[in-house]
Amino acid sequence: MAAEDTASTRLGAGRQHLRPLKRRGLVLLRLTAIVLAVLLFCEFLIYYLVIFRCSWPAVKTPADAGGLGTPEPVLRAMFLADTHLLGAVRGHWLDKLRREWQMERAFQTALWLLQPEVVFILGDVFDEGKWSSSQAWADDVGRFWKIFRHPPHVQLRAVAGNHDIGFHYQMNTYKIKRFEKVFNPERLFSWKGINFCVPGTQLPADSTGGPWLISCPCLSFVMVNSVALEGDGCDICSGAEAELLEISHRLNCSREQEHRPQECGDRQRLPASAPILLQHFPLYRRNDANCSGEDAAPPDEKYTPFKERYDALSQEASRKLLWWLRPRLVLSGHTHSACEVLHGAGVLEVSVPSFSWRNRNNPSFIMGSVTPTEYALAKCYLPCEDTVLTTYCTAAGGLVLLTLGHAGLVASPFHFGWNMLRKFKTTPDTSLEPLSFSHSSFTMRPWSSKWFKNFD
């Protein structure tokens, strides 16, 4: 009998010893689940929740206006700017990991949800291309293609920025060539060859060679190396201007082919529609004072005068581009902030904000629906960095409280609330006590309808 009591005592003691371990295991499991849930939300789900709200803008076509004929095909294009992939010199490993992961998740989520046909990056793809060595450049390019990987049916093109090839006094032929080797040297971007024909376009049955470009409803995107538009007559600058003049002649021939066909000769024709101009530096403007929106420049920077050839193109270079190319739309980067400006005869320029958390808290990109005659633009915001940081800080504070509550150092939120509720229930409310007051000869109680006199 004594042996049985001893055994039962030992068994009870063993069970009591296991209870704290089991309780600790459950707490650890809960904490791990919370950490994984927060990581999943902040590093994956938040991008889907934010970008899911974006949609392609509707563009008017002749069919929408009641016109006859087949509807014009619509190109879906994404425009990014200033990704600034960090290099070996100024790039801290933690900064690289955080900001490049943000751009990778944002870009891959946008590709999956929005399904664009072409992506343009408007300069400053890299942060240290202006001075990086051959090995550092190769490493940066490899990381770029990992972050901005895309399926074969999606085209990706980029224009050079001052951080890719350096400012005018830093750039040279070697830097330009190695950038063009990665991103294609075409100044007049096309889906197939020189011109950009929207997929799905039906070509005339008798078209051969070049003439089909005239009747094909195509789009032209002129991609400019704006760093080379210094206007000082250097070899690179002269070559860039000569190339733009050639494109201008071809565009003019396409526009005026019905009136003066003999002046163009055998020159390859381009679409008659006005091109879209893509470049890194914005066209000349005094400052960002007239820019508005939540992603515009901060108030303390809006009125800072722009320096020509540094913050924006010179007035001369801007006039040349508008005169030579006569674009219907201009898209640029460089300022890291959003802005919309009307130039000349109502030509709209849109400055695209930076795509990276490194340059702004609320990055975004532009979505464009483009036809040969019309376009429509919409902005798609990415998750704000402070939203993610606030979520992490709140979760960390909650985990600390739960851990301390389990250790008994502080009351758990549940027990604290329950004790407060019990205390509230058991504490008498003196405000509900019956009122009474005394007089020398009698006492009156308000809940009683009788008066009682007290005789001495």
Side-chain angles (χ1 to χ4, degrees), residues 418-433:
W418 176 251
N419 292 333
M420 289 295 295
L421 183 61
R422 291 176 57 189
K423 183 178 180 182
F424 176 78
K425 286 183 176 180
T426 56
T427 302
D429 192 349
T430 57
S431 63
L432 300 178
E433 288 289 330

Side-chain angles (χ1 to χ4, degrees), residues 205-226:
D206 58 348
S207 62
T208 57
W212 67 270
L213 295 173
I214 300 173
S215 57
C216 173
C218 298
L219 305 173
S220 295
F221 292 87
V222 181
M223 304 175 68
V224 176
N225 178 6
S226 52

Side-chain angles (χ1 to χ4, degrees), residues 125-293:
V125 180
F126 306 101
D127 191 64
E128 301 179 9
K130 54 189 176 182
W131 60 49
S132 60
S133 63
S134 299
Q135 183 58 47
W137 173 264
D139 294 340
D140 293 345
V141 169
R143 285 177 19 247
F144 171 85
W145 289 122
K146 176 183 177 295
I147 296 170
F148 294 96
R149 60 190 181 276
H150 54 278
H153 65 272
V154 177
Q155 294 282 339
L156 189 147
R157 292 291 185 272
V159 297
N162 54 288
H163 277 266
D164 300 314
I165 60 176
F167 279 105
H168 176 261
Y169 58 87
Q170 293 175 309
M171 72 173 180
N172 53 43
T173 305
Y174 168 73
K175 295 176 184 177
I176 295 174
K177 292 297 183 184
R178 77 176 181 181
F179 182 86
E180 292 178 344
K181 184 179 179 180
V182 177
F183 296 107
N184 202 304
E186 291 178 349
R187 293 287 174 265
L188 201 64
F189 170 70
S190 70
W191 197 275
K192 299 176 182 178
I194 291 297
N195 297 293
F196 177 77
C197 284
V198 181
T201 299
Q202 298 297 323
L203 303 181
D206 58 348
S207 62
T208 57
W212 67 270
L213 295 173
I214 300 173
S215 57
C216 173
C218 298
L219 305 173
S220 295
F221 292 87
V222 181
M223 304 175 68
V224 176
N225 178 6
S226 52
V227 182
L229 299 181
E230 187 77 7
D232 63 348
C234 71
D235 292 341
I236 296 176
C237 300
S238 299
E241 290 196 5
E243 195 171 9
L244 288 173
L245 276 173
E246 173 62 20
I247 294 174
S248 173
H249 292 324
R250 292 167 61 187
L251 288 170
N252 289 334
C253 284
S254 301
R255 290 170 179 146
E256 302 174 5
Q257 56 187 332
E258 296 181 359
H259 305 287
R260 295 181 294 177
Q262 67 282 357
E263 295 185 9
C264 295
D266 297 331
R267 184 173 307 194
Q268 190 175 18
R269 308 291 175 82
L270 298 179
S273 62
I276 295 175
L277 177 60
L278 307 176
Q279 58 187 27
H280 180 62
F281 286 154
L283 297 175
Y284 174 78
R285 60 177 183 259
R286 292 182 179 179
N287 49 38
D288 276 348
N290 295 324
C291 306
S292 60

Side-chain angles (χ1 to χ4, degrees), residues 14-26 406:
R15 289 176 178 175
Q16 291 178 356
H17 179 69
L18 289 175
R19 285 175 184 174
L21 294 178
K22 185 177 180 180
R23 194 180 302 115
R24 292 174 187 174
L26 290 175
H406 174 70

Side-chain angles (χ1 to χ4, degrees), residues 8 32 52 55 74 92 102 128 144 169-170 180 226 231 282 286 294 342 352 354 359 363 369 371 380 396 404 414 421:
S8 61
T32 304
F52 181 76
S55 59
V74 179
H92 189 273
Q102 171 258 327
E128 301 179 9
F144 171 85
Y169 58 87
Q170 293 175 309
E180 292 178 344
S226 52
R286 292 182 179 179
E294 58 183 288
L342 287 177
V352 182
S354 175
N359 299 316
S369 300
T371 71
C380 183
L404 294 177
F414 175 76
L421 183 61

